[in-house]
Amino acid sequence: MGNLKQVHIAVVGAGGVGRHFLTQCSQLLSKHPNASVVLISRSNRSLRVPSFNHRLSLSTWEQDLAASDSPACSPSEIIHFLSSAPGKCIVVDNTSNQDVAASYPDFLKNGISIVTPNKKAFSSDLKLWQSLLESAYPGNERGGLLYHESSVGAGLPIISTLKDLVDTGDQIHKIEGVFSGTMSFLFNSFAPIEGNGGTWSDEVTKAKNAGFTEPDPRDDLNGADVARKLVILARLAGLPIESINSFPVQSLIPKELEQCTSGDEFLERLPEFDGEMEKVKAEAEKKQKIVRFVGSIDVVGREVKVGLEEFEKGHPIAGLKGSDNIISFYTKRYGSNPLIVQGAG
């Protein structure tokens, strides 16, 4: 960044994730005066500089945005705004919005780089994935750069590790692990290596109250979040997976509770089904094993799946703590000892 004359940053999404990003950005940009935030857009309003000689204040942006009467910016409006910028441009998308994700190729074709945790661009329609590869550099010599490390494993270097393995000629045989901090926290509490753990419904409620789940825990328990991450990694490993509907994904939502009108109603009724999860845990314990919610990609067998698996108590997956993720890369280079990335997810 220090070698560039000017870098202009447009931020889409200023909620929980966006707020934390802008805090980090404020610290980072204090060391890089050549870079500036020039636009912040959220669902109902936006804030932008009057000219590219200015920069938005990252100490007062929340108050300034709240006072703005400018509506939210569409992707095409952001592209138009940045097209006259005298330097490099980056769009940081902090949303999970499908429409914004679908516009990534347009940004990239206009030389605008993308940084995002938004999984939907990389795990939905396969044609969109292919369009991203064609629109971004190096597929398009004039295209913007595309970074989405945090779309899998939060801050863990999962995507960069996989890309490095592939780019340096290694052959990926299998990828397996715990890809959800929520599911990790739940099962480490519900089925610990030592002790009995609480009831399933109690542990889900505790996880929600601690902020580990979505406002409606069903959005975590349906397995879709893990499935999206597997689609992304499978595609990077060379498997043209069409969508999350292309392979089995085990949902932990009782069918009787799928139609609950709210997350609160779901939690109220969940104790009725504690016995089902107790049976799952007991079956594993009979074999001296531990149950965990995992995802796996068998590249050789071209098979992807998400769901409950049993592991020996000495297995790295069984021994996770807190909300840690763990991802194992089985490759030709590493043989029977996988390359493991582990940490807070």
Side-chain angles (χ1 to χ4, degrees), residues 46-212:
S46 64
L47 185 68
R48 70 177 76 178
V49 293
S51 74
F52 291 104
N53 292 324
H54 296 78
R55 63 178 62 211
L56 296 179
S57 169
L58 295 186
S59 59
T60 63
W61 72 266
E62 289 191 76
Q63 302 94 301
D64 296 339
L65 182 60
S68 173
D69 56 6
S70 298
C73 295
S74 67
S76 60
E77 289 172 331
I78 296 174
I79 291 172
H80 178 74
F81 172 67
L82 295 177
S83 64
S84 59
K88 299 292 184 180
C89 296
I90 302 171
V91 167
V92 179
D93 176 22
N94 298 303
T95 75
S96 59
N97 187 291
Q98 181 67 58
D99 292 335
V100 176
S103 300
Y104 288 176
D106 296 326
F107 285 111
L108 295 166
K109 289 174 185 177
N110 281 276
I112 300 169
S113 296
I114 297 286
V115 177
T116 183
N118 190 343
K119 303 177 187 66
K120 293 183 178 177
F122 314 100
S123 61
S124 53
D125 186 65
L126 184 59
K127 291 182 180 179
L128 176 56
W129 167 265
Q130 294 166 339
S131 179
L132 289 171
L133 297 181
E134 294 169 358
S135 303
Y137 182 88
N140 174 4
E141 290 188 358
R142 296 185 178 181
L145 300 173
L146 179 60
Y147 289 96
H148 59 108
E149 182 71 68
S150 54
S151 64
V152 179
L156 295 177
I158 305 302
I159 288 177
S160 56
T161 296
L162 177 56
K163 282 186 174 181
D164 284 346
L165 291 171
V166 173
D167 290 345
T168 56
D170 202 356
Q171 295 178 17
I172 311 300
H173 295 162
K174 182 179 180 181
I175 304 171
E176 179 183 58
V178 174
F179 293 86
S180 165
T182 300
M183 290 300 199
S184 180
F185 180 85
L186 280 173
F187 280 91
N188 294 339
S189 301
F190 171 66
I193 292 180
E194 297 180 358
N196 296 321
T199 64
W200 177 246
S201 60
D202 281 348
E203 297 301 344
V204 173
T205 300
K206 288 178 185 177
K208 180 180 184 298
N209 292 339
F212 283 108

